[in-house]
Amino acid sequence: MTVDDSGSGEDAQGADSGEDPLALRLEGLILGAERRYTPFQAARSAGVSMELASRFWRAMGFADIGQAKALTEADVLALRRLAGLVEAGLLSEAMAVQVARSTGQTTARLAEWQIDSFLEGLTEPPEPGMTRTEVTYPIVELLLPELEEFLVYVWRRQLAASAGRVVQAADDEEMVDRRLAVGFADLVGFTRLTRRMEEEELGELVEAFETTAADLVAANGGRLIKTLGDEVLYAADDAGVAAEIALRLIETMAHDDTMPELRVGMAFGTVTTRMGDVFGTTVNLASRLTSIAPKDAVLVDTAFAEELIRTQDAPSSEAEAAEEAAAAEKEGEEPPTYRFALQPMWQRPVRGLGVVEPWLLTRRDGG
């Protein structure tokens, strides 16, 4: 392999490669270093094999670049850190790759959003003849340190919250396979909307839905797992919390004339968590319940209903609630109060999961 060490600066590299010099200046500003290494040189400087370096870069979401001189001291340092964690026995090699992948996927989406939705509105050229890149450079120069500090702050907050949930787990198995309430909220008729609405209108609708859902989930103690345009997936440790989120989503969207109807499906049970996502039969069941839920309604599975009854968030039946109220009145006591009502629906086969009995979840009068 021949290593090319020619070129004395970024502008020279840009001229050779046909890249925009201003784009290279912007890259240098953001990365805080100039291009110095080919992938082979970076791997050698970091003291790792080219094979392992390639695995890390691909896991972080970066394309193969052959042996172009495009890497910086920061890339070398990142490789050293990951490899050092493996050498010290703190992480296995497979886990280090997972760390690279989860970080890369999360920050890639964040970066795309910030450029598309944030910087785009700030970089309209104030004077004729100015390019977007010329305006972007000073804006990024001012915002970069503030955004970096804010990113680290939010990450530490999220890490603290996640670590707290882990240490409260009953045992090691529960740290990975946990009992959670999982909910899908889905916009009804979204495919038809995509054919009728302009792209900009559709984008605004999706953003408004995702923002509203994310705020409601967070404010009421749930965790937003992911958004899928017309659908959001969330989880909560407590079935009552998940139920409250579902009904508030329905109620909030129903009061917005610009939004289509919403339907929610939820299930409660063992869930496998990986890289911030959730998997397993419980998740699949929640998804299937969403697909059969009526408009502006919430369906839950039997395990979810039983958990609400166990925690006294819902009565096992309205007849039982009436009997409890009558008995309390006779004794001169306050009757028990329930937040939610459950109505069993017809059993039905669900693809891949057999026969299930959905329950319609509503808010109980006086609960």
Side-chain angles (χ1 to χ4, degrees):
M1 178 184 297
T2 302
V3 178
D4 180 9
D5 288 320
S6 63
S8 57
E10 290 184 10
D11 289 345
Q13 294 173 23
D16 291 341
S17 65
E19 294 183 67
D20 188 331
L22 282 174
L24 286 171
R25 285 183 60 223
L26 189 60
E27 176 192 284
L29 170 66
I30 294 172
L31 297 180
E34 65 178 24
R35 299 177 177 185
R36 291 186 55 187
Y37 302 99
T38 66
F40 177 77
Q41 292 171 325
R44 185 174 59 186
S45 296
V48 302
S49 68
M50 187 63 205
E51 179 185 0
L52 182 57
S54 295
R55 288 186 66 196
F56 284 148
W57 283 318
R58 289 168 186 164
M60 285 185 278
F62 302 132
D64 291 339
I65 57 172
Q67 286 305 318
K69 185 175 288 189
L71 304 181
T72 72
E73 287 288 352
D75 296 301
V76 173
L77 181 58
L79 285 177
R80 282 181 187 154
R81 282 176 170 159
L82 282 172
L85 292 172
V86 175
E87 290 172 4
L90 295 173
L91 295 177
S92 67
E93 187 174 304
M95 182 58 71
V97 171
Q98 278 196 354
V99 168
R101 181 170 290 112
S102 62
T103 307
Q105 289 178 357
T106 302
T107 52
R109 185 177 182 190
L110 174 63
E112 288 288 345
W113 181 88
Q114 288 177 331
I115 293 297
D116 291 344
S117 303
F118 182 49
L119 287 179
E120 185 174 331
L122 291 176
T123 55
E124 291 296 333
E127 298 178 12
M130 291 187 71
T131 67
R132 184 177 296 278
T133 307
E134 288 174 322
V135 180
T136 300
Y137 190 94
I139 292 290
V140 171
E141 192 171 26
L142 291 171
L143 286 177
L144 188 62
E146 301 301 325
L147 291 177
E148 184 176 15
E149 289 290 332
F150 186 69
L151 174 62
V152 173
Y153 155 73
V154 175
W155 171 72
R156 284 181 176 273
R157 268 287 177 189
Q158 293 287 6
L159 196 64
S162 183
R165 289 192 294 269
V166 168
V167 298
Q168 291 176 39
D171 51 44
D172 289 344
E173 287 186 8
E174 190 180 335
M175 291 169 61
V176 177
D177 298 314
R178 305 162 59 192
R179 287 178 62 79
L180 296 176
V182 178
F184 281 92
D186 177 59
L187 293 175
V188 179
F190 185 76
T191 303
R192 291 193 301 274
L193 282 176
T194 61
R195 294 194 287 265
R196 297 203 314 263
M197 298 179 72
E198 297 291 335
E199 287 186 7
E200 186 173 346
E201 289 180 296
L202 193 63
E204 290 174 355
L205 183 145
V206 168
E207 184 176 359
F209 168 59
E210 291 184 348
T211 300
T212 301
D215 288 349
L216 283 171
V217 169
N220 289 279
R223 298 187 297 284
L224 187 69
I225 304 299
K226 59 186 173 184
T227 59
L228 304 167
D230 62 330
E231 188 175 59
V232 297
L233 169 61
Y234 69 92
D237 298 316
D238 181 85
V241 169
E244 183 66 30
I245 291 169
L247 292 172
R248 291 205 178 198
L249 282 169
I250 295 288
E251 292 159 359
T252 301
M253 298 297 174
H255 284 88
D256 188 340
D257 295 336
T258 66
M259 283 288 173
E261 292 93 348
L262 190 70
R263 56 190 176 191
V264 181
M266 295 189 294
F268 185 84
T270 302
V271 173
T272 298
T273 59
R274 288 287 188 280
M275 293 176 61
D277 208 343
V278 290
F279 307 92
T281 302
T282 302
V283 180
N284 295 338
L285 180 53
S287 177
R288 299 288 190 272
L289 288 172
T290 306
S291 66
I292 63 175
K295 296 177 181 178
D296 287 336
V298 181
L299 287 186
V300 304
D301 75 326
T302 298
F304 196 107
E306 290 174 347
E307 182 67 10
L308 288 181
I309 294 168
R310 186 188 70 80
T311 57
Q312 298 187 328
D313 282 309
S316 58
S317 68
E318 287 303 310
E320 181 179 314
E323 290 176 4
E324 290 174 340
E329 184 179 358
K330 185 176 180 180
E331 297 294 329
E333 300 174 352
E334 286 293 322
T337 57
Y338 300 101
R339 291 192 290 164
F340 310 113
L342 293 163
Q343 177 185 341
M345 310 291 284
W346 290 105
Q347 291 186 351
R348 65 191 73 187
V350 174
R351 181 169 52 88
L353 296 170
V355 177
V356 300
E357 181 182 15
W359 294 68
L360 181 67
L361 174 76
T362 56
R363 196 179 293 284
R364 195 166 184 276
D365 294 337

